Amino acid sequence: MPEAAAAPDWLREGFKHLWLPYTQMQTAPTPLPVVRAEGAKLFLADGTVLVDGIASWWTQAHGYNHPHIRAAVAAQLEKLPHVMLGGLANEPAMVLATRLAKLAPGDLDHVFFCESGSVSVEVAMKMAIQYWINRGIRGRTRFVSFRHGYHGDTMACMSVCDPDEGMHGHFKGYLPEQIVVPLPRDAAGEAAFAALLAQRGGEIAGIIVEPLVQGAGGMKFHEPASLSFLRRVSEAQGHLLILDEIMTGFGRLGTMFASEQAGIVPDIMTLSKALSGGTLPLSAAIARRHVFGAFLSDRPDTALMHGPTYMGNPLACAAANASLDLFEREPRLQQVAAIEAHLRERLAPCRALKGVVDVRVKGAIGVVELDRAGEGVWLRPHFLERGVWVRPFGNIVYLAPPFVVSQDELAQLTGAIVDVLQIWSRERA
Ligand code: PLP
């Protein structure tokens, strides 16, 4: 296992200056120096090879360094690495917008590009608020979101995350106050939710939800029926529904978009992560025709006032177009189905372990929920000893590997989880 002493100079020097995400820097172990990645494998500076169980925060649909994406980015780099999207057009962005409009369900036809998932959620929220203003309706500025939801770390995004689970407790009172409620899962929940919308409808700009899997807020699953209900009730009461498919989009749950499993079309959809095949930062907020239509008029002030500097970056869009080629040409969704079957079978033994409260699998996501949080520090070295990169958070140990992971690599990942949790259960649970 690589130690700080064996770390290359660039890591020792850089670590004095780099501020890591979600990390107490006083006690943070030195991060692992990755010098190369291929498929589902990470290669470290000292020659160690790790199988990546979480696909760099769920971005690597086709595996690292896919030759088709690499070639597309390299070709684009020769011609036009970047040009602003304000008043100037580039081919990869236009082609990508056209392809996304075709691919996205229903009449989700209007694509606004950004660079990160959080910013696309911010844009979706701005679209929803201004949709009502442009229609001459005042006071609809609040969002309904759900317990265990996670939508990003910027200010507006934090406001729609679970206020307790969402890592943003310090900012309570500073963030806009939204309406955060349990996700309706049964008749009583549905009735309560419909009543809430009827009661507070005049304040509500939109309803935002991660479809089928709430990720960073606890890897909680729900059924397509919950989504169908949200679509039905929001439509019946005239509310905008925003689906945050940043984690679930592009095959992670076995369909290109999770919304397909409920057969619904949201009013706005956000995408990122696997959008660029995990190569470059890129996100999109995609609106239906009627949402886009509310911004059209003779007046400049009904335009959407947002414009990230690097929006529609040609390199990122070329990567995304190449990623879509791969979804068309290669059996990604079948690979997800095979990963799902493997995870179901091989993670099942964890159910019997003391300290494990749940094991659940949806698409290419396998979750083992522990009865306590904060075990990551103990678990991490045990996973590394077994040659896998697994990053538990809260009380969740999970796998979300690249879709091209081989059977052997997958067996190494699930084997490591079962093995390490058996030891954990004996020694600590
Ligand atoms: N929405 C969801 C569902 C996410 O899972 C994430 C990131 O994990 C985000 C939004 C934020 O995306 P980013 O980290 O690119 O800002």
Side-chain angles (χ1 to χ4, degrees):
M1 197 193 318
E3 295 297 334
D9 288 348
W10 54 262
L11 175 59
R12 271 202 306 278
E13 283 308 307
F15 192 43
K16 295 176 196 159
H17 303 289
L18 196 70
W19 202 331
L20 297 174
Y22 310 117
T23 301
Q24 172 47 261
M25 294 303 293
Q26 185 164 302
T27 51
T30 311
L32 304 178
V34 181
V35 291
R36 195 163 71 79
E38 197 85 42
K41 288 201 171 80
L42 301 171
F43 298 84
L44 306 190
D46 70 349
T48 304
V49 181
L50 298 176
V51 178
D52 184 355
I54 58 170
S56 273
W57 277 329
W58 328 319
T59 56
Q60 302 299 318
H62 315 288
Y64 290 97
N65 209 359
H66 194 288
H68 181 62
I69 301 181
R70 195 171 62 225
V73 173
Q76 187 58 40
L77 190 59
E78 292 290 322
K79 291 185 285 194
L80 179 65
H82 183 64
V83 68
M84 65 191 282
L85 209 61
L88 299 174
N90 72 78
E91 186 176 349
M94 290 293 167
V95 169
L96 181 60
T98 308
R99 291 178 81 173
L100 288 175
K102 273 205 193 105
L103 193 63
D107 63 343
L108 283 162
D109 279 353
H110 301 278
V111 180
F112 190 97
F113 287 121
C114 324
E115 317 94 325
S116 76
S118 298
V119 174
S120 70
V121 171
E122 298 269 344
V123 168
M125 293 172 75
K126 280 174 78 170
M127 281 176 177
I129 291 174
Q130 199 178 337
Y131 169 86
W132 298 108
I133 295 171
N134 284 356
R135 294 181 57 193
I137 298 163
R138 298 278 144 180
R140 297 189 68 148
T141 54
R142 265 190 226 288
F143 288 85
V144 178
S145 65
F146 298 97
R147 290 265 161 207
H148 296 291
Y150 175 82
H151 299 284
D153 292 342
T154 56
M155 289 295 175
C157 293
M158 285 197 288
S159 76
V160 287
C161 292
D162 186 304
D164 303 314
E165 302 280 340
M167 308 178 278
H168 305 130
H170 294 313
F171 300 94
K172 250 183 211 167
Y174 181 67
L175 302 173
E177 211 171 292
Q178 313 292 10
I179 305 166
V180 187
V181 296
L183 207 110
R185 291 166 189 274
D186 54 22
E190 290 183 2
F193 190 78
L196 167 83
L197 290 192
Q199 208 176 32
R200 300 188 64 176
E203 306 169 50
I204 295 170
I207 301 161
I208 180 163
V209 66
E210 297 157 86
L212 302 187
V213 175
Q214 295 175 296
M219 291 286 173
K220 300 284 184 195
F221 300 170
H222 55 268
E223 294 302 315
S226 289
L227 286 184
S228 318
F229 165 73
L230 289 179
R231 179 65 288 185
R232 243 185 359 263
V233 72
S234 56
E235 210 151 62
Q237 298 201 23
H239 294 290
L240 295 179
L241 179 64
I242 303 169
L243 290 192
D244 178 348
E245 293 246 20
I246 287 168
M247 179 194 181
T248 55
F250 301 104
R252 180 57 63 187
L253 302 184
T255 43
M256 275 307 269
F257 303 107
S259 61
E260 290 168 35
Q261 295 183 34
I264 63 163
V265 183
D267 299 293
I268 304 170
M269 174 166 80
T270 55
L271 298 173
S272 187
K273 294 203 183 277
L275 169 59
S276 72
T279 311
L280 285 154
L282 183 66
S283 66
I286 309 184
R288 285 177 72 171
R289 269 180 232 146
H290 77 101
V291 175
F292 182 73
F295 290 74
L296 305 179
S297 81
D298 298 331
R299 302 200 332 256
D301 67 331
T302 67
L304 179 63
M305 284 300 166
H306 204 96
T309 302
Y310 281 97
M311 73 183 291
N313 171 260
L315 292 177
C317 292
N321 281 317
S323 171
L324 293 184
D325 296 341
L326 293 173
F327 275 110
E328 286 168 9
R329 283 186 212 160
E330 297 190 6
R332 290 289 173 264
L333 302 184
Q334 287 98 305
Q335 286 168 322
V336 171
I339 294 170
E340 177 168 16
H342 180 108
L343 293 175
R344 272 188 205 290
E345 187 194 322
R346 302 290 182 92
L347 291 179
C350 294
R351 262 195 199 101
L353 299 177
K354 187 164 157 248
V356 169
V357 294
D358 192 28
V359 177
R360 50 186 180 269
V361 173
K362 220 186 234 306
I365 302 177
V367 180
V368 182
E369 187 171 328
L370 309 182
D371 64 359
R372 71 203 65 180
E375 294 299 290
V377 174
W378 187 91
L379 293 167
R380 181 177 181 267
H382 290 81
F383 286 129
L384 292 176
E385 275 165 21
R386 286 157 182 79
V388 299
W389 176 240
V390 179
R391 194 173 189 269
F393 68 92
N395 63 339
I396 299 296
V397 180
Y398 76 100
L399 291 175
F403 304 155
V404 296
V405 68
S406 72
Q407 276 298 311
D408 286 351
E409 290 164 339
L410 199 50
Q412 191 178 340
L413 288 166
T414 49
I417 291 211
V418 174
D419 198 20
V420 170
L421 288 183
Q422 271 168 350
I423 299 169
W424 173 82
S425 177
R426 267 200 315 271
E427 294 185 8
R428 291 177 64 95

